[in-house]
Structures are given as structure tokens and as C-alpha cells.
Amino acid sequence: MTDRIAELTKLTLEGKMFAEMTATEFDREDIFLSKQEMESKRLCEHILNQKPVLTQYQKMTGFFLCRNGIVVGDAFHRQGHKAWEEMRKDFYLKNIDNLSTLEWQHATADYKKVLEKGIKGIIAEIDDSLKLHTEKEEQEFLSALKNVAETLIKWAHKCSEKALEMSEQTDIPEYRSNLKTLSEALKNVPENKPSSFYEAVLAIYVCFSADPDSVGTLDRYLNPFYEKDLKEGKLTRDEAKEYLQELFLMLQAATHIANGNFTRGGESHFCIGGYLPDGSDGFCDLSKLILEALIDLPTWIPQVTLRWTKKTPKEVFRFALDCERKDPNKRIAFQNDEKRLKCYTEICGFPFEKAVGYTTVGCNEPAFLGAITGSNSKINFARCIETLFHKKSEKIINTKDFDEFYSVFLEEMFSDLETAYEYDNKYNRMRAKDINYLSSIFFQGCIEKARSLTQGAGDVVIASPMYIGIANVIDSLIIVKQFVFDEKIITMAELVSALKADWQGYEELHALILKKGDFFGNDTDRSNYVAQKLYQSLYEFLKDKTNLFGYHWLIGDLIGYNPHHKWFGEKMEATPDGRHKCDSLKFGLGQSEGKDRNGLTALLNSIAKVDPNAIGCGSTVTNLMIDEQLVKNEENFEKTVDMLETYFKNGGVHFQLTYVSKEDLINAKATPDDYKNLRVRVSGFSDYFVKLNEAIQDDIIKRTTQK
Amino acid sequence: MKLRNETMKTIIFDIERNSFVDGPGIRTTVFFKGCNLKCKWCHNPESQNREKEILFYKNKCTWCGRCSELTVDDEHFLCFNDAKEICGKEYTVDEVFAEVIKDKAFYETSGGGVTFSGGECMLQIDLLLEMLKKCKENGIHTAVDTAGHIPWESFEKILPFTDLFLYDIKAMNEEIHKEYTGVTNTCILENLKKLLKSNVDVWVRIPIVPDVNDTEEEMKNIKAFFESYGYPAKIELLPYHAMGEHKYEALGKSVEKFDVPDKEKIEKLKNIVVPY
Ligand code: SF4
């Protein structure tokens, strides 16, 4: 790490690089303007009134925030969006009928476009669109975008002046020259197409303000600049690394140090590698450099995912896993392009060239460059099981075989899903009342359609609500099949009574189920059969369904930062999988409470085979806990690499690793002070174990540590 | 060939998937019950007897009485306190194969396969032969983990279907061998000589048990043996560990205590016997 980056790292970790907001006093007569005119005018005034974060160590500047609620925010920070605020008050973390609850959405701006034509080019697009859209609302929207876009250029010019001023105050010749270069560069970007790799990174740095979330497919849109400059001798690999590090430090600094999310990876998440439109594997030297640059920094944000393809060389996969095992801050995860692209081409119907442009954002939500995640809800998927056994038991008590039981179950499940998806649409309808000026400039479809990002302007978007309790449902179905129909150990009536009594008086049955239940993850014929049958039903139900904007529904299973699995579970009666009344539900299909007993390959097989149609390629994560000893020994590490590669070849969608022993976790919960540095993967993000809330801590402890 | 499959059954006490320690790559290890040695340090005492057995962990028992009529064939039995368990389950060749084939993709990526272990899997040579054949027919790499106290004819039978032998040398000194394993090492070493001469891969594994065979002399003798008859593809030293102790009690057997060797000692011994 260079001295300059070391200084910037220090400042970043001290919270001194945060873009504090400067308050702006608006003309009170603004309110006589139309909504769009007023909101965009204030936004522009806010932007130009901000002060760039600038120290003598920087080669880049120009990041600002709009999150004080006085002006409308961006796609990620919704403060100032009235409808959103109103909805959030009543529905965020407050579920409806214990079935659905509102959650955050993520998005990534179209940085490729910024680098291809500059904001000036985007303004030209707006001008063209203004000629086509003549409705007053459309005209107002497009004019607002144009004003904001022009303001961004002015803002860059303001930053340019500040950099020049700063350079004059600096005695160190190197820094003085850096700042002069910066000042010059800001006269060119993001207004115009960048003329170098440095300017390209700088353009992203400034435009990140419009959607401070994910930098998307960073390696592929930066690579043309990287290769050109290297070839022409204008750039060294080390210089490129420094620029990337300066960008990454800004991503870290974009979150306030006092915010709990400062040390969570999910705040900014992007992808490297994966298929290119021509069908080749896109992992290149720049992708490798990105990993190297990131791992050098003692930060938490951003986190990065390697998109694996069948063409990814083993050395690349091993290199990334090696970085991962050496990274104390757990910033690297892995995605299977084969499975995801099958989903995005076959189910969503995107052409291959577009489908390959996906990235994962937030915890692990799929989004495309210049698009948002099209859904914003969590679904209690296990509620239908509760309903059947506790409220509608007369419907199942006389079912003659598993198939008959299953069809009654399906009816209930579909009915819950219909309701839950309708709520998802309602959240979106509400959100559409807000107009997003800042992010809409950089999002596909908004300019052409003269419609805000929030109003379904995007054309490649995925809508993936997250199902909580999939594993509970699968295991409940398995137990019914095994205990009631296959082995006839109990009758359905007895099972119903046991559940209504929350297993009281049925302790032996409960113990028998926990010990002998053929649970998911053991790679047995029965457990695989039931799980695959369920995913097949879900696929058939969803394969032609889209949300109100026409975005295809998919299935995800992550929980995000909030313990929704606890909140849903604590209002639920007992379920056949051995779950007690009020116990948390499970999220994801990973290890659980020692129910997977046949080892990690068995679990990985079960997961990889569960969903051959790939309907589950929404916001899906698989957390794997692996014994630390396994990767300390080189020979075992090699075998671990092989094991995980096989899992992808077999059809697994995603994984991220935690290396830890169960004893560590139990001790950490008891004496957190001794384990301040213990970092674990949660639901698509990583965090310090001791900072997690108790429900999530318990959940992690319960997952088996696989040898 | 009539014997094949359904009719032949054997007692298996465990099938462990995702094993990283029983040969190259990712493996599934099949543990046969029954052994013709009685090594005093054995960490799987439940593998020694060929029949099914009941393990009883007295300190966990609440004397609820549910198991008063328990027999070893009671497959569905469950002690709610984990105090009693039945060790061993009957498997046919096909049933074992059905488990082994599940991880084929993992074997292929990692150069792994199946390892037949025990106990002494070669005591049931006909059945083992069938299992090996079936695995080979399906392109699975096969390893046999043996103590080697077996007639050479048995080796000849399985050699064409075995890719690797994991072979133990427990002691070169004949008296020590006899005292601690119950048998002399003559046949074992003779078989090893022949194996080293044949085309099959051999990995030799040497358990290191303090005050039994942890001497430089032992290692030098092993080295001399290799120098005369050829080096195996790999030599592994397996330090003694006490993780099997509680199982002796559960089986009503008396346990012999040994120290756990320290790391430096192992390193030193290794340097004598391992040529690289
Ligand atoms: S069932 Fe278990 S707890 Fe009860 S007497 Fe038998 S061993 Fe003891």
C-alpha cells in the first residue's frame, strides 16, 4: 500500500472522509411550483451547496450525499421521498398478517453509459426524449433530469476549483501535482467521456453520489480503459491499483462511522468475472487487481462476488478462495453464472447479451447495471403450513396418501403466495408515487420512457421477494411423508394434536422426529424428492408471473440485516419439522441445527439439485460454515476448492464461507469482549459476530460446523 | 457370480462422506465391522467385533427403562438421552454402492473416490471384491485400507479392482507387534513386500504410539525395509489420539491409556522415515 493510500485509509477508518451534508435554505416560494419543478430545483440547490471532501492526500473527490430528508434522495437513500416515508412508518419491519413485510431495495447505476458518453451524452439523450414526450408531466420530469444532470457537471467544476485551491495550500510537490491533475480531470469528467483509466475511475467516484449503492460490474466497464492505458504505457498496474483503492475507500466512507452498517459488507456489493456477451469468461487481469486492491485494505465495504462460469480456470477460483480465506473481514462471496443465466434467459426471457450484465447488490440481490431490484418484500413462506395444521386441519386429517396431502398443501401455499405478491405490488405502487430525479439519470429506460426509476422504467429487472422459512416447509413436508405415510409411525390426527399441544405430551415423538427425521440436506432419496417437488411446484406457479411493472417474479431466501425469521416465527404455532411454537423460522437452505448429518457433500448435493429449473435465482444465499482447521492445511484447502467447484458444477447458485468452530461462537456469545474480531457471514453480508442481535447469533450457532 | 448383490450382506458401522483423510481427493469411506487384530490403541473399538453391538454411555442414562428389551436388530430404537445406540447396520453391495455413487461428481473434480476401511474390510473378501468391481465399473477410484494380516490370495483377488492400498505398519519389532496387536507381523510384511512389487499404488501409514513404537530404531527399521523392497507412493505418520476412549467404556471393554505424542517428536520421526 502506498503512503498516500495508507493516509487515506487512516482518515477513512476514523470517519473523517464522510461527506457531511451542508444545510441549504430554499426559497419558500418554491412551493408554488409544480411538484417536479420544486423537488428538482431544491435538489440542484442542495447539490451545489455541498462541500467536497478534500485533503491533500486525494487524487479523487466529488462524492456528496442527499440523505437529510429535506431534498428527495436517491434510489438507495429514500429520505425526502414522501410516499416512501409514509409507507416505511407503517410497514417497514412491521408485517401484515404475519405474511408480508416491506424491505429495502438496491440498485446500481449505469456506469458503462457514463464512461461511454459522459453526462453531456446523457443530456443529449434527454433532449431527444424531450422532443418525443410532449405531455406536461413528462416534459417536467425530463426537464428536471436535465437540470439535475447539468448540476452534476457544475458540481464537478466546483470540485475542480476546490482541488486547485487545495493544491496551492500544499507544500508537498507530489500532492500539489496530484491535486492539479485532479482539478484538470474534473473539468473533463464526468461531463465528457474519460480520456484515461484515472479519469474513468474518477467519473465513477463522482457519479456514485447519484446512487451510493453498488458499482456493478466494475471490471468489465473499466477494462477497456485499463487495457488501453497499459498498452500505451500511460498507466502501471500499481497506479491502477491505487486508483481502485481510492475508489473503494470512498465506498467505505459513504457510510457514517456511527452507523452500525459502517462495518457491514452489504452496504456496497459488486461483481467481478462471469460471462461476457460473446460467451467467454470475463475474469481478466483487472478483475484480479480488483481483488488484490480490496484485500489490501483493512475495510469492510465494499464486498465483492466472483461470478464463476464453467470456463473459469481453476487457478482463478482457487485464487479468489485463497483471498477469501486470508480476508479477516470476509468480503468475498461466490456466484454461479451457469445457474443464474439459465434463469435470466429461460425464465425471465432476457437475451443472453443482456442477461450477462447482472450483478449482485446489497446482501445478494440480483440487479442489472442501470437497474433496481424490482421487489421489496419478505414473505413468511411457512405460514401456509401453520394454517393447515392449526386452522384447517380438517382438510388434511383424512388425506390418504402423500400426494393427496400435498395437493391440499399446494392450494394453501398458492393462496398465501397470491396474497403476498399482491402486497409486494402494493409496496411498489406506493413507491411509484415518489419521483426519483437523481438516480433516474443513470438508470436504463427512465430517459427513453420519461418515467422515474420508481415507476417501473427499467427493462431488465428482476422481482425477487424473499421467502423466509423454505427449509421449515420442506422439512415439514418430509416429516409428514416419512412419519405419517411411509413409515406410518403416527397418524395425521396425532401429528395435528401434537402440534396443537406444541409437542407437550408428545416429547418422545418430538425427539424421534429430530433424531430420525429424514431432513433436507442429507441427500437421501426421500428428502431430495420432496424438496425438488416443492421447487417444481413453485416453478410452475411462477414461471409466467410478473409484477405490476412486468418484472419476472423469482424466489430468494435471504433475510438481510433484520431477523425477519425471528419476527415471523415468534408469532407462529408449532410446525411438523420439530419447530416449537414461537421458535424462529429458518432462512436459506444451508446447515441447520444439526439436522444435516451426512457431511458437507451431502448438503451441497441436496442444495445443488433442489431447483433444476433455476426459479430460485433471485436473492438467494447459501451460508456455509467450515471448520477452520480445514483450510489451514494446504492439502485440505485444495480439497475444499475442489469441493466447492463441484458444488457449482452440480448446480449450486451461491455460497459464502465462515471459518469458525462452534465453541468459538458459543464463547463469543457469552464473553463478547474476548471475541470482538470474530467475523461471520450472515445473510449475504458479513459482520462482527458480537454485534449481531441475539436471534441471528443463535441461528449461526445452531448451524452445524461441517468438517 | 450368483452370490452378487442382494444375497450378500455385511455389517457396516459407518459410511462417512466428504472424508479428506482416507486417500487422495474427496472420498467416501465405508467402515466394515470386524477385525483380526486387537490393537491396544485402536480408536474405533466398535469396529473390532464383526457383529452388531450396543454402545451404552452409562453417565447419560436416566434409567427410564425403555430399552429393557432392546436387541441389536431393533433398527428404530431411540434412546432420548443418547445413552444407548446400536452400532452396525446390514448393507448389501447395492446399498453401499448407492451411497458411494452420490458423491461421484466430487470424486471426479478432486481425484477422490471410495475407501473401504474398517475394521478389516479384507476379512470379507468376496463381498469386498463385489463392491470394488461395482465401483470400478462405474469409474470410481478405489482404495482399500488394510492392516494386511490376510492371506496373499485375498490380495490377488482384489488387486485388479483396487487403485490404492492404505497399508499400516504398526511395528517392525515382532514382539512389540505381537504384544500390542495380538498377532505377529510376518504375514503383514510379506504381503507388503509383494504389494510394493506389484503395480498398485501403496500409501503406508504408521501409527505413532508413545512408548510402543515411537523410537528412532523403529523408524530406521521401516526405512531399511523400504530401501530393500521399494518405497510406497506416500508415507503418513498418524499420531495417537485418545478420542476413542469413551467408546471402550460404552462397550464394556477396558481401555489402555497412552500419551499423545508431541509435534516435535512426530517431526523428528518423520524426517527419519520419509525420504523427501
Ligand atoms: S433408554 Fe436410554 S436413558 Fe432409558 S434406560 Fe435405556 S439407555 Fe438409559
Side-chain angles (χ1 to χ4, degrees):
Chain A
M1 194 189 293
T2 62
D3 292 349
R4 192 177 75 78
I5 295 296
E7 290 293 342
L8 283 174
T9 304
K10 196 167 149 268
L11 290 172
T12 302
L13 297 185
E14 286 167 355
K16 292 183 181 147
M17 298 297 286
F18 181 72
E20 295 288 354
M21 274 163 289
T22 310
T24 308
E25 256 192 59
F26 303 115
D27 180 355
R28 62 180 179 159
E29 289 186 31
D30 282 354
I31 58 159
F32 300 124
L33 297 171
S34 76
K35 172 182 153 81
Q36 302 203 64
E37 283 168 345
M38 182 197 84
E39 287 181 347
S40 60
K41 177 170 176 281
R42 290 190 166 185
L43 182 59
C44 294
E45 286 169 12
H46 168 84
I47 294 170
L48 282 182
N49 194 35
Q50 300 309 300
K51 295 191 182 75
V53 177
L54 202 52
T55 65
Q56 60 175 357
Y57 306 113
Q58 284 165 257
K59 275 189 179 178
M60 294 180 197
T61 191
F63 177 69
F64 65 85
L65 279 170
C66 294
R67 61 181 319 185
N68 57 2
I70 297 171
V71 287
V72 290
D74 48 71
F76 189 41
H77 298 135
R78 280 139 221 178
Q79 286 89 345
H81 289 118
K82 296 281 178 306
W84 165 257
E85 288 288 356
E86 218 172 290
M87 180 166 64
R88 175 168 127 123
K89 259 198 334 262
D90 289 329
F91 298 100
Y92 182 60
L93 311 188
K94 290 178 187 151
N95 66 55
I96 304 170
D97 298 334
N98 209 31
L99 177 67
S100 165
T101 182
L102 172 70
E103 252 293 353
W104 222 246
Q105 281 163 289
H106 286 274
T108 168
D110 190 351
Y111 295 103
K112 184 164 178 272
K113 183 155 124 182
V114 174
L115 300 190
E116 275 169 4
K117 48 172 79 165
I119 292 181
K120 229 181 182 171
I122 296 174
I123 292 173
E125 278 183 13
I126 300 174
D127 284 334
D128 289 343
S129 188
L130 270 167
K131 286 175 211 146
L132 298 172
H133 294 93
T134 46
E135 295 286 324
K136 183 168 177 285
E137 296 255 309
E138 295 172 336
Q139 285 273 322
E140 272 185 13
F141 174 70
L142 289 169
S143 306
L145 290 197
K146 188 174 174 182
N147 288 341
V148 177
E150 283 168 351
T151 302
L152 287 174
I153 295 174
K154 284 185 209 146
W155 159 251
H157 293 167
K158 175 176 170 178
C159 295
S160 163
E161 281 161 29
K162 295 278 175 201
L164 191 65
E165 275 170 33
M166 172 71 82
S167 82
E168 280 151 12
Q169 293 156 14
T170 306
D171 303 330
I172 304 163
E174 183 202 333
Y175 293 160
R176 194 181 313 142
S177 118
N178 285 348
L179 288 161
K180 276 208 181 107
T181 311
L182 171 59
S183 175
E184 281 307 308
L186 283 168
K187 288 179 192 160
N188 189 40
V189 290
E191 181 176 359
N192 302 296
K193 185 176 162 29
S195 66
S196 63
F197 180 78
Y198 165 66
E199 283 193 357
V201 180
L202 180 62
I204 301 164
Y205 196 105
V206 178
C207 293
F208 190 70
S209 318
D211 175 42
D213 192 344
S214 162
V215 289
T217 49
L218 185 66
D219 55 351
R220 59 182 74 183
Y221 61 74
L222 271 182
N223 199 40
F225 295 90
Y226 178 68
E227 283 187 341
K228 182 168 178 283
D229 283 11
L230 275 188
K231 206 168 131 207
E232 292 172 2
K234 280 165 50 186
L235 177 78
T236 66
R237 206 170 178 274
D238 285 345
E239 283 165 350
K241 185 173 173 184
E242 233 191 294
Y243 300 147
L244 290 168
Q245 287 180 325
E246 192 161 353
L247 175 70
F248 295 154
L249 285 171
M250 182 273 286
L251 302 186
Q252 172 72 60
T255 303
H256 193 274
I257 191 167
N259 186 323
N261 297 345
F262 189 73
T263 54
R264 280 180 180 171
E267 284 299 287
S268 184
H269 178 179
F270 68 97
C271 282
I272 53 172
Y275 279 119
L276 298 178
D278 67 3
S280 62
D281 182 277
F283 192 95
C284 55
D285 183 54
L286 180 62
S287 323
K288 187 160 185 267
L289 189 64
I290 286 171
L291 278 180
E292 291 169 11
L294 185 64
I295 293 310
D296 263 8
L297 298 173
T299 48
W300 304 272
I301 299 172
Q303 72 180 45
V304 60
T305 289
L306 172 73
R307 280 172 48 184
W308 177 91
T309 74
K310 271 187 189 149
K311 295 176 182 167
T312 304
K314 179 77 143 260
E315 307 88 76
V316 167
F317 191 52
R318 183 191 295 111
F319 172 75
L321 274 162
D322 191 38
C323 290
E324 197 280 342
R325 91 175 141 150
K326 290 171 182 158
D327 177 17
N329 288 350
K330 298 272 147 232
R331 284 166 288 189
I332 307 171
F334 299 83
Q335 207 78 255
N336 183 357
D337 255 24
E338 305 295 339
K339 199 70 177 269
R340 288 209 176 261
L341 290 177
K342 178 182 167 65
C343 173
Y344 305 150
T345 53
E346 291 175 17
I347 299 179
C348 303
F350 303 143
F352 181 80
E353 310 79 62
K354 279 199 173 177
V356 296
Y358 85 90
T359 182
T360 41
V361 293
C363 280
N364 202 39
E365 293 93 312
F368 290 82
L369 204 66
I372 193 163
T373 52
S375 185
N376 39 22
S377 68
K378 296 269 192 296
I379 298 174
N380 178 356
F381 185 52
R383 194 186 78 158
C384 56
I385 291 283
E386 183 198 35
T387 309
L388 276 188
F389 282 86
H390 293 272
K391 293 183 190 140
K392 298 185 180 170
S393 56
E394 72 286 352
K395 282 183 145 183
I396 53 169
I397 232 151
N398 293 319
T399 47
K400 285 184 292 299
D401 52 26
F402 181 70
D403 287 342
E404 193 186 335
F405 165 80
Y406 188 77
S407 57
V408 179
F409 157 77
L410 275 191
E411 221 177 278
E412 191 60 37
M413 175 183 94
F414 290 151
S415 137
D416 263 10
L417 288 180
E418 296 279 7
T419 313
Y421 280 109
E422 196 34 56
Y423 280 122
D424 196 83
N425 277 337
K426 282 180 184 165
Y427 303 141
N428 262 323
R429 231 171 261 132
M430 191 72 179
R431 178 117 163 77
K433 291 183 186 170
D434 288 322
I435 297 168
N436 200 315
Y437 311 98
L438 197 49
S439 310
S440 292
I441 302 172
F442 297 105
F443 280 71
Q444 292 180 13
C446 300
I447 294 171
E448 298 91 297
K449 294 178 190 155
R451 211 191 304 156
S452 168
L453 166 70
T454 50
Q455 295 161 343
D459 53 355
V460 271
V461 178
I462 285 162
S464 171
M466 293 152 216
Y467 287 34
I468 314 297
I470 297 187
N472 298 93
V473 173
I474 294 174
D475 284 343
S476 293
L477 295 173
I478 290 171
I479 294 303
V480 168
K481 186 169 191 314
Q482 180 186 0
F483 279 70
V484 178
F485 296 113
D486 295 353
E487 296 177 3
K488 300 194 173 31
I489 294 169
I490 43 164
T491 63
M492 190 71 89
E494 283 167 330
L495 182 57
V496 167
S497 309
L499 296 182
K500 286 191 172 162
D502 190 20
W503 305 104
Q504 274 185 38
Y506 295 86
E507 285 78 10
E508 292 197 356
L509 173 65
H510 186 250
L512 197 69
I513 286 175
L514 290 189
K515 287 259 171 65
K516 301 262 161 136
D518 194 359
F519 294 110
F520 181 76
N522 288 304
D523 199 21
T524 60
D525 292 345
R526 177 172 36 219
S527 63
N528 287 342
Y529 166 81
V530 171
Q532 287 164 17
K533 192 177 170 80
L534 178 69
Y535 268 86
Q536 181 65 30
S537 304
L538 286 169
Y539 167 70
E540 278 158 21
F541 176 70
L542 288 174
K543 68 178 195 274
D544 301 317
K545 283 200 171 51
T546 55
N547 81 353
L548 79 163
F549 297 134
Y551 304 152
H552 208 290
W553 292 122
L554 295 174
I555 294 172
D557 65 9
L558 60 81
I559 53 162
Y561 290 172
N562 299 304
H564 294 286
H565 61 309
K566 179 184 176 216
W567 296 330
F568 282 137
E570 66 194 11
K571 290 188 198 144
M572 275 175 73
E573 300 290 333
T575 43
D577 55 329
R579 200 189 127 273
H580 276 290
K581 181 177 178 166
C582 301
D583 277 359
S584 290
L585 293 175
K586 283 183 225 144
F587 59 93
L589 291 177
Q591 292 118 319
S592 62
E593 304 166 31
K595 284 178 174 168
D596 49 314
R597 318 175 187 100
N598 288 348
L600 199 46
T601 52
L603 177 73
L604 294 178
N605 264 344
S606 306
I607 300 174
K609 290 188 293 202
V610 76
D611 176 28
N613 300 306
I615 191 75
C617 287
S619 310
T620 292
V621 298
T622 304
N623 288 292
L624 298 175
M625 307 256 273
I626 292 189
D627 195 309
E628 213 177 2
Q629 294 306 322
L630 215 55
V631 289
K632 278 192 179 155
N633 162 326
E634 288 309 307
E635 202 183 318
N636 286 345
F637 175 67
E638 283 304 314
K639 293 188 186 188
T640 306
V641 173
D642 290 336
M643 181 178 72
L644 295 166
E645 192 186 52
T646 312
Y647 163 66
F648 271 170
K649 284 183 184 163
N650 281 354
V653 180
H654 167 270
F655 72 86
Q656 55 191 13
L657 303 172
T658 298
Y659 303 112
V660 72
S661 72
K662 198 162 193 147
E663 293 73 49
D664 283 344
L665 295 174
I666 293 167
N667 292 341
K669 197 184 162 195
T671 54
D673 285 351
D674 300 341
Y675 289 88
K676 285 199 178 111
N677 294 322
L678 177 62
R679 202 159 168 89
V680 294
R681 307 294 311 218
V682 188
S683 177
F685 64 96
S686 61
D687 202 353
Y688 289 108
F689 182 79
V690 298
K691 282 180 58 192
L692 297 168
N693 66 52
E694 203 176 337
I696 295 184
Q697 281 188 345
D698 287 342
D699 214 281
I700 294 173
I701 292 173
K702 277 188 200 156
R703 291 186 222 149
T704 345
T705 298
Q706 295 282 1
K707 300 255 175 196
Chain B
M1 289 310 285
K2 252 203 159 158
L3 270 177
R4 191 161 174 167
N5 302 350
E6 309 87 66
T7 49
M8 285 207 289
K9 283 190 178 182
T10 189
I11 315 257
I12 299 291
F13 78 88
D14 198 9
I15 296 181
E16 187 185 335
R17 293 169 65 177
N18 198 35
S19 166
F20 282 15
V21 295
D22 299 303
I26 297 169
R27 311 193 73 82
T28 297
T29 307
V30 181
F31 293 92
F32 284 57
K33 233 167 126 29
C35 191
N36 56 353
L37 270 64
K38 296 278 172 288
C39 303
K40 292 188 175 170
W41 57 78
C42 179
H43 61 266
N44 282 333
E46 75 276 30
S47 72
Q48 295 178 341
N49 187 334
R50 182 154 172 181
E51 307 304 323
K52 292 184 199 168
E53 283 172 286
I54 293 173
L55 273 79
F56 177 43
Y57 299 95
K58 212 161 142 189
N59 56 342
K60 291 189 192 165
C61 177
T62 58
W63 312 104
C64 72
R66 287 185 61 258
C67 62
S68 56
E69 278 163 33
L70 179 67
T71 71
V72 290
D73 296 318
D74 229 336
E75 261 188 46
H76 288 294
F77 169 75
L78 177 70
C79 162
F80 296 116
N81 301 305
D82 290 325
K84 224 170 233 190
E85 64 186 29
I86 294 163
C87 172
K89 196 181 157 208
E90 276 180 357
Y91 277 88
T92 64
V93 171
D94 285 347
E95 283 165 348
V96 169
F97 180 73
E99 280 304 303
V100 169
I101 194 76
K102 284 179 177 171
D103 281 349
K104 189 166 186 230
F106 291 92
Y107 311 149
E108 279 167 1
T109 323
S110 68
V114 62
T115 299
F116 294 102
S117 181
E120 175 57 69
C121 59
M122 288 186 71
L123 287 176
Q124 296 165 66
I125 196 69
D126 293 329
L127 198 119
L128 177 64
L129 177 64
E130 291 308 317
M131 288 187 187
L132 287 166
K133 276 186 188 164
K134 184 131 195 183
C135 291
K136 285 296 351 157
E137 278 164 17
N138 286 278
I140 296 174
H141 178 275
T142 54
V144 169
D145 179 5
T146 177
H149 190 64
I150 297 289
W152 175 249
E153 296 71 60
S154 295
F155 281 95
E156 280 181 324
K157 276 191 187 173
I158 60 169
L159 259 171
F161 308 100
T162 308
D163 297 307
L164 169 70
F165 280 92
L166 302 173
Y167 204 98
D168 289 0
I169 297 183
K170 298 175 200 272
M172 291 302 279
N173 179 307
E174 190 157 352
E175 270 151 44
I176 294 180
H177 201 282
K178 176 113 200 337
E179 185 186 340
Y180 284 94
T181 71
V183 301
T184 68
N185 58 10
T186 325
C187 164
I188 295 174
L189 295 176
E190 282 308 310
N191 286 336
L192 180 55
K193 284 180 202 167
K194 290 180 191 154
L195 274 187
L196 288 172
K197 241 190 274 169
S198 59
N199 273 333
V200 72
D201 269 343
V202 180
W203 289 12
V204 166
R205 313 213 279 186
I206 309 165
I208 299 293
V209 187
D211 301 325
V212 177
N213 66 351
D214 64 337
T215 61
E216 296 188 12
E217 192 194 338
E218 269 293 326
M219 296 305 123
K220 281 179 185 154
N221 289 338
I222 296 175
K223 187 180 175 194
F225 180 91
F226 290 152
E227 272 165 5
S228 308
Y229 304 104
Y231 272 96
K234 195 170 176 182
I235 302 166
E236 292 177 315
L237 273 63
L238 310 178
Y240 170 80
H241 61 77
M243 284 185 251
E245 264 183 24
H246 64 291
K247 290 190 279 190
Y248 279 89
E249 202 197 326
L251 287 162
K253 295 184 177 179
S254 60
V255 62
E256 196 107 352
K257 304 247 180 192
F258 297 95
D259 290 337
V260 175
D262 57 58
K263 273 199 181 127
E264 291 93 80
K265 181 82 182 252
I266 295 286
E267 233 7 73
K268 208 170 121 204
L269 296 175
K270 195 171 151 188
N271 288 337
I272 299 173
V273 71
V274 180
Y276 23 84

